[in-house]
Amino acid sequence: MTNLEVVMRSNHELPSDVLKHLISILGNRVSTKDVDLLSYSRDYWPITLHWMLKGKIPALARAIVWPKNTREVQDVVKIAYENAIPVYTYGGGSGVLGGAIPEQGGIVVDMKKMRSIKLHEENLLVEVEAGTNGYYLEKYLNKKGYTLGHFPQSLYPSTIGGWIATKATGQFSTKYGGIEDMVLGLEAVLPWGDVVTLKPHVRSATGPDLKTLFIGSEGILGIITKTWLKIWPYPEKRILLSFASETLEEALDSVNRILKRGARPAVVRIYDIVETKRHFYKFDEVYGKIATIIILEGDSKLVEAEKQIIEEEFKGKALGENLVKHWLETRFNVKEASEFAPLGVVFDTIEVSIHWSKAIKLYRSLINVMRSVKGTLFVSAHASHFYPQGVCFYFTFAGIPKGDPTEYYNEVWDVAMKTTLEVGGAISHHHGIGRQRGKWLKEDLGLAFEVLKKVKNALDEKKIMNPRNMGV
Amino acid sequence: MPRKWDWLKDEIKGLELIRSAPLIFKFISGKLNGPDDLVKCALCPNMCRHACPISIVDGKETTSPAGKARIAFFIRDGKLELNLENIEPLYMCLSCDACTQWCPFEFSVSNLTRPIKEEAVKKGITFKEFSEVFKNLKEYGYVYGEPKDEKMVRDGNILYLRGCTIREKYPEVEKKTSKVLESLGYKPFTTSEKCCGIPAYNLGNITLFKKLAKEQAEIINSSGADVVVTSCPSCAYAYRVLYPKYSIKINPKIFHITEFLEGKIKGLKTKGRVTFHDPCKLAIGLKRPELLEKLLLSIEGLEVKSPRRKGKETFCCGYGGSAISRLNAQLADEISNERLKELREEAEVIVTACPTCKLAFESNYGKTLDIAELLYDVLRG
Ligand SMILES: Cc1cc2nc3c(=O)[nH]c(=O)nc-3n(C[C@H](O)[C@H](O)[C@H](O)COP(=O)(O)OP(=O)(O)OC[C@H]3O[C@@H](n4cnc5c(N)ncnc54)[C@H](O)[C@@H]3O)c2cc1C
Ligand code: SF4
Ligand code: SF4
């Protein structure tokens, strides 16, 4: 390929008879063109943006395929299995940790042509193929009077399969849960090409819940081709609330009490002082304070009751709807990376979770250690997802390294991961592991990491499914 | 009120800021321009992908909005060769500007990638499928080749410009539009019009576009009309939005037929159920996302069913942008069928206001009426 440096170069070639075989099955839905290989050389791992600006690309697959149905996915996987060729499943490429990068060449299977939707209204279920675009599904459901309740900030570019594979959560998760709470059943193509269906029963006591094996599996155990998701009637009513608090502790305590009383707001977000300034600079009343925004939605009687609980429990100044409206209007305005990466600013986010008892400690420790890395311009955070047991903090950092951007980037990540483990948190809440967190997964899981490896080796004895992803 | 970047200034204060981040300081102080638009788009995670018909139906990273920007960026930077294989994805664009509606920067991918297409055309790197279009436009000022012998109506008080597709494929729409205008008391006349130039513009042949635009402007300006009505939203878009960008002036006021009829059709009654398809050049290009629906709703007794994607969220019929229907007709039809499927969930009869949309749907067996055809039928009772 003209003038482009490949960072993770692999020596594996794709035998010509394999290519011929793929073409005989998929016709023109197989490509080895430079422009296609280039387009699938990365996902949205932020450090790779800096590589790209310098004419470096992470890796190159040997072929890209676009199957249209489960049968075709099976055929591709069988060919790969017979020839021990790596297979990388690609959804929307919005993963932020390098999970979809075809590090060892091989075949990239793009799922986006698989996008059929079947609504089962009577059972409040939707059956959907894995390549379906997130917003496309939500819009479809809305027209029929339903919602999935899953709104990751990547709703627009990502796919349903990607959500399941990375165990995504959305901005409305405090009420609707993460994707794992929505998946009732799924279908996946296993590394040797057979299809396993984990049926969408309302609940079943039929041994361990095997579908959870695939939720968060990031393409290392097989290819998710279809799923059955729980849906909700489109909310009858929405109430928007916001508050200004003097301290982060006060705001966190308030939410803790609200959840203990059983109220389940859809959205709760508590911004530290830096992020309050950053997101709500137009609102004098919160500048220099801690802003909290809350959205309640659902049946009107239930949300009115929840509103009362919140008003009783939230210590701080109530500020009404405007902050929340501003958030709703701007929540998908993803601009920073585009504006700052070309100026040499290394920029990323790190999401971790923690019990209530250690929440403040984790917040302060991470801000401190990340800030202490030479080159850091700022570190900030907001609490973005809440549970009766604890909370997810979402940190943002930016720095201008004097030397190699990748080195600086890894240094910040390493201190953040190490400190999270020391304080007792989980190293990822919803972005997953990918390439970036691989080496830390072992530390987080302990012996369970060996269990994961055994499962991987048992299912994928030839190690063809996204090899080396997640450090397994 | 604090300003947008004050938080960052608060975080990285004084000397430290100047030492560690002079570029950032300049940027947030407004003294430095940031990266150019193509770079910004190339670095985006495709935040408009869900709106892009190509992205939804083709489903490839290569032809996704940011994917196209990346390819254009690499070509511009000399990292990828400017050749047919590499520029083909850039032409997988309907020029519908659905991306613009969702982009935090309000970019149009079709505009961002056009300079590469223009460079390719200048260097003679162009698809054989486009050569015929260029030839027809050069020789006849008409995309479809030599025009049929046409009867012109020379007297009247408003100029009715039909556009190439009405002239070639839908003479009955021409007649019915004229009748509708007459029923409102106007006297439309036609002239030996040329192509507005949009096909050349879309395919990156700017020299040809400018030539056609100048000729067409001359025809319109010398017609003596104060008001021009056209059936084609792309033509209206060209005259009102594109020509001024190239300093080509049109003297009369230009209306798309829906704009001209707004507020003028009153007291109509009919029965039946229809759905509608908002043409992208009307809903997005001319910024009238609600107009077609409003016109339909003003007809008493007509049951008007909204599709899932309408207004600024409309989904191109598949035949927009001049390139895909020529380079990849199968994809164009797949997009049409995607749209038809959802429209048919609402009603058998689709009403639209663009001859290209009508052509796209009818080529895929979707019963489609131009708004003027529907009004003509209602007026006749
Ligand atoms: C701007 C932005 C905002 C984001 N906001 C959020 C957020 O709010 N919440 C959140 O949880 N995440 C968020 N993310 C991260 C990311 O979007 C999610 O993790 C998303 O689930 C990835 O989906 P995708 O379809 O893009 O997957 P990809 O990036 O294509 O793939 C991700 C991983 O899953 C694997 N994979 C994909 N599809 C399948 C399949 N069908 N079967 C098996 N494996 C598969 C891939 O191999 C890869 O390892 C954000 C990302 C961006 C860029
Ligand atoms: S047009 Fe805007 S939203 Fe779409 S990919 Fe480009 S920058 Fe992103
Ligand atoms: S103009 Fe239309 S087809 Fe082209 S990139 Fe934008 S949304 Fe997609």
Side-chain angles (χ1 to χ4, degrees):
Chain A
M1 190 164 299
T2 339
N3 293 335
L4 284 163
E5 183 189 329
V6 184
V7 177
M8 304 174 199
R9 200 172 264 289
S10 91
N11 297 323
H12 295 271
E13 290 301 326
L14 193 67
S16 62
D17 56 326
V18 169
L19 189 61
K20 272 193 206 130
H21 200 167
L22 287 171
I23 293 170
S24 74
I25 295 163
L26 297 170
N28 64 2
R29 285 179 286 113
V30 177
S31 173
T32 55
K33 287 182 190 167
D34 281 356
V35 266
D36 287 320
L37 303 183
L38 178 67
S39 301
Y40 289 87
S41 64
R42 54 178 277 262
D43 58 5
Y44 206 68
W45 189 11
I47 192 63
T48 62
L49 301 182
H50 294 267
W51 300 355
M52 178 180 137
L53 289 167
K54 293 203 170 96
K56 292 194 229 171
I57 51 173
L60 282 180
R62 293 290 180 267
I64 318 292
V65 300
W66 293 272
K68 273 194 170 158
N69 51 44
T70 303
R71 179 77 244 172
E72 289 184 352
V73 175
Q74 280 184 277
D75 290 342
V76 171
V77 170
K78 278 182 184 156
I79 298 170
Y81 181 77
E82 277 160 24
N83 296 279
I85 290 165
V87 173
Y88 297 90
T89 315
Y90 206 98
S94 72
V96 282
L97 297 152
I101 291 177
E103 202 182 317
Q104 302 199 357
I107 303 167
V108 168
V109 182
D110 184 348
M111 298 299 288
K112 288 192 287 292
K113 282 198 187 283
M114 292 178 59
R115 57 188 172 89
S116 76
I117 303 176
K118 228 189 256 170
L119 186 63
H120 302 282
E121 281 186 83
E122 210 183 349
N123 302 324
L124 271 183
L125 271 184
V126 67
E127 184 180 338
V128 56
E129 279 186 307
T132 309
N133 173 272
Y135 180 82
Y136 183 92
L137 173 65
E138 180 62 24
K139 191 78 189 159
Y140 169 90
L141 291 173
N142 294 167
K143 172 80 182 161
K144 307 275 181 189
Y146 301 97
T147 180
L148 179 65
H150 191 69
F151 301 94
Q153 198 192 25
S154 55
L155 179 72
Y156 298 161
S158 57
T159 65
I160 313 305
W163 293 349
I164 300 175
T166 58
K167 208 173 183 182
T169 63
Q171 294 156 341
F172 287 53
S173 73
T174 303
K175 178 181 174 76
Y176 299 105
I179 195 73
E180 70 278 17
D181 300 300
M182 298 160 193
V183 175
L184 213 50
L186 59 80
E187 175 191 275
V189 172
L190 297 165
W192 61 92
D194 280 353
V195 178
V196 64
T197 304
L198 298 154
K199 293 178 214 149
H201 294 307
V202 288
R203 181 177 189 276
S204 55
T206 47
D209 188 354
L210 292 171
K211 73 175 178 286
T212 59
L213 257 187
F214 293 92
I215 303 176
S217 64
E218 299 189 28
I220 65 166
L221 299 179
I223 301 183
I224 301 156
T225 43
K226 186 164 83 172
T227 183
W228 290 264
L229 301 169
K230 299 176 198 172
I231 54 173
W232 298 64
Y234 195 79
E236 186 193 359
K237 183 163 183 169
R238 250 189 189 183
I239 296 178
L240 314 180
L241 302 167
S242 68
F243 298 89
S245 309
E246 295 302 324
T247 65
L248 185 62
E249 285 85 338
E250 190 181 280
L252 286 168
D253 278 350
S254 300
V255 174
N256 186 344
R257 284 194 304 278
I258 289 163
L259 295 180
K260 267 191 192 140
R261 283 186 62 184
R264 286 292 173 273
V267 178
V268 186
R269 293 166 85 85
I270 302 176
Y271 295 87
D272 73 0
I273 291 177
V274 177
E275 294 211 3
T276 299
K277 285 182 186 173
R278 177 171 143 210
H279 292 291
F280 304 107
Y281 66 92
K282 286 184 186 155
F283 300 87
D284 282 334
E285 57 275 37
V286 287
Y287 204 80
K289 296 198 163 63
I290 301 286
T292 301
I293 60 162
I294 297 180
I295 299 178
L296 300 164
E297 66 173 39
D299 180 273
S300 57
K301 285 193 178 141
L302 288 176
V303 293
E304 283 298 344
E306 289 183 315
K307 179 175 177 239
Q308 266 186 26
I309 293 178
I310 291 167
E311 283 168 349
E312 283 166 24
E313 297 295 347
F314 210 104
K315 301 279 174 285
K317 189 164 182 284
L319 295 175
E321 294 193 334
N322 286 347
L323 255 72
V324 196
K325 283 190 180 149
H326 172 74
W327 177 76
L328 283 168
E329 279 159 19
T330 53
R331 68 193 168 126
F332 293 118
N333 285 2
V334 175
K335 275 178 157 178
E336 280 92 349
S338 295
E339 283 179 329
F340 287 109
L343 300 176
V345 182
V346 176
F347 177 92
D348 201 359
T349 57
I350 299 182
E351 26 57 72
V352 294
S353 69
I354 190 80
H355 292 130
W356 283 113
S357 58
K358 295 173 193 154
I360 284 291
K361 182 165 183 215
L362 181 84
Y363 167 77
R364 295 212 190 293
S365 313
L366 252 70
I367 294 275
N368 286 338
V369 292
M370 288 157 80
R371 213 182 244 158
S372 68
V373 177
K374 217 167 173 308
T376 297
L377 286 178
F378 77 88
V379 186
S380 63
H382 62 273
S384 54
H385 305 267
F386 292 83
Y387 307 86
Q389 291 71 31
V391 58
C392 160
F393 280 110
Y394 191 89
F395 292 87
T396 299
F397 72 89
I400 303 198
K402 286 269 176 291
D404 177 12
T406 312
E407 249 173 50
Y408 164 76
Y409 181 76
N410 286 335
E411 203 182 325
V412 180
W413 264 93
D414 284 352
V415 293
M417 294 294 92
K418 189 165 167 279
T419 311
T420 303
L421 288 167
E422 278 164 13
V423 179
I427 59 164
S428 174
H429 174 267
H430 57 264
H431 285 165
I433 303 301
R435 300 280 179 299
Q436 179 62 22
R437 277 186 171 115
K439 70 172 177 181
W440 293 99
L441 185 62
K442 194 173 175 185
E443 310 263 338
D444 189 310
L445 294 185
L447 184 60
F449 186 73
E450 295 309 314
V451 177
L452 176 65
K453 265 173 84 171
K454 286 203 153 94
V455 172
K456 159 81 179 168
N457 292 341
L459 281 185
D460 185 12
E461 57 190 28
K462 291 193 182 174
K463 296 194 176 44
I464 59 163
M465 286 288 166
N466 207 338
R468 295 228 290 258
N469 195 32
M470 298 174 88
V472 295
Chain B
M1 200 210 295
R3 279 168 315 171
K4 191 173 176 198
W5 298 112
D6 282 357
W7 67 273
L8 189 52
K9 287 184 186 163
D10 288 353
E11 275 305 279
I12 37 176
K13 286 198 179 85
L15 266 184
E16 178 56 20
L17 169 66
I18 304 204
R19 209 179 321 118
S20 62
L23 277 185
I24 291 297
F25 187 72
K26 276 193 190 159
F27 182 70
I28 63 183
S29 311
K31 290 179 195 135
L32 176 86
N33 287 332
D36 71 69
D37 295 351
L38 183 64
V39 175
K40 284 190 202 156
C41 187
L43 292 172
C44 175
N46 264 318
M47 293 304 280
C48 60
R49 185 209 301 271
H50 62 293
C52 171
I54 300 293
S55 243
I56 291 295
V57 176
D58 200 27
K60 294 179 179 170
E61 289 305 307
T62 325
T63 54
S64 69
K68 289 188 278 238
R70 278 167 211 154
I71 293 167
F73 163 71
F74 280 129
I75 293 177
R76 196 185 69 178
D77 243 29
K79 305 281 183 209
L80 261 186
E81 200 184 316
L82 183 69
N83 61 30
L84 282 185
E85 186 171 289
N86 292 342
I87 59 168
E88 190 183 345
L90 306 186
Y91 282 105
M92 293 297 114
C93 177
L94 299 152
S95 301
C96 64
D97 284 350
C99 40
T100 314
Q101 303 304 299
W102 298 86
C103 175
F105 303 103
E106 293 179 37
F107 291 157
S108 151
V109 170
S110 108
N111 284 342
L112 289 180
T113 55
R114 185 170 296 106
I116 303 292
K117 297 179 200 169
E118 287 175 22
E119 198 190 328
V121 172
K122 265 190 211 140
K123 290 187 170 149
I125 304 165
T126 179
F127 293 92
K128 63 175 184 334
E129 287 84 350
F130 300 164
S131 316
E132 196 182 307
V133 182
F134 295 152
K135 187 172 153 268
N136 289 341
L137 288 175
K138 259 184 221 150
E139 280 182 26
Y140 310 109
Y142 191 58
V143 267
Y144 293 101
E146 192 176 355
K148 294 171 215 149
D149 193 22
E150 291 181 299
K151 251 208 251 138
M152 299 301 155
V153 184
R154 306 228 178 258
D155 295 329
N157 54 5
I158 55 176
L159 172 60
Y160 171 50
L161 288 178
R162 300 148 291 172
C164 301
T165 303
I166 293 270
R167 281 168 73 190
E168 185 72 16
K169 309 272 182 196
Y170 297 117
E172 72 278 13
V173 175
E174 175 187 337
K175 278 193 210 102
K176 288 178 181 173
T177 308
S178 297
K179 293 277 179 222
V180 169
L181 291 170
E182 280 164 16
S183 78
L184 293 172
Y186 299 94
K187 241 182 123 191
F189 70 101
T190 50
T191 182
S192 53
E193 65 185 76
K194 290 204 162 180
C195 172
C196 64
I198 272 220
Y201 179 78
N202 285 338
L203 302 179
N205 195 335
I206 289 298
T207 317
L208 184 54
F209 166 70
K210 284 198 269 195
K211 176 181 175 281
L212 286 162
K214 280 186 198 140
E215 288 170 6
Q216 181 73 331
E218 176 56 31
I219 292 171
I220 295 172
N221 291 338
S222 61
S223 72
D226 295 325
V227 169
V228 170
V229 176
T230 172
S231 287
C232 176
S234 292
C235 295
Y237 174 81
Y239 305 141
R240 287 225 305 262
V241 183
L242 290 185
Y243 284 19
K245 279 190 190 160
Y246 292 87
S247 308
I248 296 165
K249 197 165 173 337
I250 300 264
N251 298 328
K253 268 191 97 96
I254 304 274
F255 294 94
H256 178 248
I257 181 78
T258 50
E259 296 172 303
F260 191 73
L261 295 176
E262 188 183 12
K264 294 194 176 84
I265 50 163
K266 291 194 179 107
L268 294 186
K269 276 188 198 165
T270 189
K271 281 199 190 117
R273 172 178 170 147
V274 297
T275 187
F276 58 91
H277 166 78
D278 288 314
C280 29
K281 278 288 172 281
L282 176 62
I284 297 172
L286 297 172
K287 298 198 170 67
R288 297 306 309 268
E290 76 305 334
L291 191 49
L292 180 59
E293 184 176 17
K294 203 167 125 193
L295 280 182
L296 291 172
L297 287 172
S298 72
I299 304 171
E300 204 185 311
L302 185 68
E303 196 188 342
V304 182
K305 299 282 285 177
S306 292
R308 172 166 30 118
R309 293 177 281 201
K310 64 170 182 171
K312 71 167 201 162
E313 286 198 46
T314 192
F315 196 79
C316 175
C317 65
Y319 281 25
S322 317
I324 295 178
S325 46
R326 298 188 165 91
L327 278 184
N328 190 344
Q330 191 193 339
L331 176 60
D333 285 331
E334 275 177 42
I335 296 172
S336 290
N337 280 303
E338 156 83 24
R339 180 61 167 161
L340 271 174
K341 200 171 131 206
E342 98 190 44
L343 292 170
R344 281 196 183 117
E345 275 184 25
E346 306 301 333
E348 254 315 296
V349 180
I350 300 155
V351 183
T352 192
C354 170
T356 308
C357 303
K358 183 174 160 79
L359 181 67
F361 295 147
E362 289 186 346
S363 305
N364 289 285
Y365 311 106
K367 194 174 170 200
T368 310
L369 291 178
D370 186 88
I371 180 76
E373 292 178 287
L374 176 87
L375 291 174
Y376 176 84
D377 290 347
V378 175
L379 281 166
R380 285 191 0 148

